[in-house]
Amino acid sequence: NNILKKKYFMKTLVTIFLTVLLFVSNLCHSQSGWFFANPLPQSNSLNCVNFLNSNTGYAVGNYGMILKSTNAGLNWKYQSNVNIVGILRSVVNFDENNSVAVGYGGTVAKTTNGEDWLFHSVGSGIFLFGVAMPSIDIVYAVGEVGKIYKSTNGGVNWTEQQSGINSALFNVFFSDVNTGTAIGANGVIRRTTNGGR
């Protein structure tokens, strides 16, 4: 009688286990139309993607992660990094060779050949959230407590500009070297028509 009870218990346990396994496997199927892209694997969080044209784009993220695609996002390639270990929050492309990424701790990453990235800094440990590059030389970066920085040599050296606010600025866009808009916390919008002067 005990042997029959044990066999029945084991059959029931196996049936429950297989039912749960079948249920979980059905939940794990990906959505229709979505698929995992290269590189395999890439587990760092990515924070921003920006495409220069229909084929070439960059994605940036945690631990200095910079990826490049040259086939419209189908495949991604690791970029060569030099001493970039922080969190990158935003990336902008000027042309096929010149791009700038910014992030936490005042981190600035710059490429002039579309492959190799060098570390620069705005000169303070401020968190940077957004970047704009209206020319090959002029670059703007925005960040916490209303900080706005401007570079006139493509992102190598930076000077702070006065925003007149203390709210974090999350993104910035320039239509030309003088005309730009920065947006941020609490609905703040800051605009310049004279290059930030």
Side-chain angles (χ1 to χ4, degrees):
N1 196 20
N2 279 343
I3 294 175
L4 288 174
K5 284 182 181 178
K6 284 182 182 178
K7 284 184 178 179
Y8 177 76
F9 176 76
M10 289 303 290
K11 282 184 179 180
T12 304
L13 191 60
V14 169
T15 302
I16 291 171
F17 175 77
L18 291 175
T19 302
V20 169
L21 185 62
L22 181 63
F23 177 76
V24 170
S25 68
N26 284 336
L27 289 178
C28 292
H29 290 298
S30 62
Q31 297 179 19
S32 175
W34 287 88
F35 57 93
F36 191 77
N38 285 327
L40 299 171
Q42 198 298 111
S43 60
N44 292 312
S45 293
L46 297 173
N47 302 314
C48 181
V49 63
N50 194 352
F51 274 78
L52 172 67
N53 52 44
S54 60
N55 289 315
T56 305
Y58 295 93
V60 298
N62 295 359
Y63 302 103
M65 180 59 59
I66 302 176
L67 304 173
K68 181 179 182 180
S69 176
T70 55
N71 60 359
L74 182 61
N75 300 100
W76 294 86
K77 175 185 169 189
Y78 288 104
Q79 296 292 274
S80 301
N81 302 310
V82 178
N83 296 324
I84 303 169
V85 295
I87 295 174
L88 296 173
R89 292 292 309 202
S90 186
V91 62
V92 65
N93 317 311
F94 178 73
D95 58 28
E96 293 279 347
N97 294 317
N98 295 278
S99 298
V100 174
V102 299
Y104 291 1
T107 298
V108 176
K110 173 182 169 64
T111 182
T112 56
N113 64 7
E115 295 294 331
D116 302 300
W117 293 75
L118 298 177
F119 170 82
H120 300 285
S121 173
V122 295
S124 75
I126 205 79
F127 284 15
L128 299 173
F129 301 123
V131 62
M133 193 175 189
S135 81
I136 197 167
D137 294 318
I138 306 296
V139 187
Y140 295 89
V142 298
E144 62 181 340
V145 292
K147 296 294 185 182
I148 301 176
Y149 295 91
K150 180 179 181 178
S151 173
T152 56
N153 59 2
V156 177
N157 302 106
W158 297 81
T159 56
E160 185 177 345
Q161 297 190 307
Q162 298 305 311
S163 69
I165 58 168
N166 288 321
S167 297
L169 294 170
F170 297 130
N171 210 345
V172 60
F173 175 80
F174 272 75
S175 56
D176 58 53
V177 294
N178 292 314
T179 308
T181 304
I183 59 169
N186 306 313
V188 100
I189 300 174
R190 304 303 283 174
R191 181 164 167 79
T192 183
T193 57
N194 61 8
R197 288 193 303 273

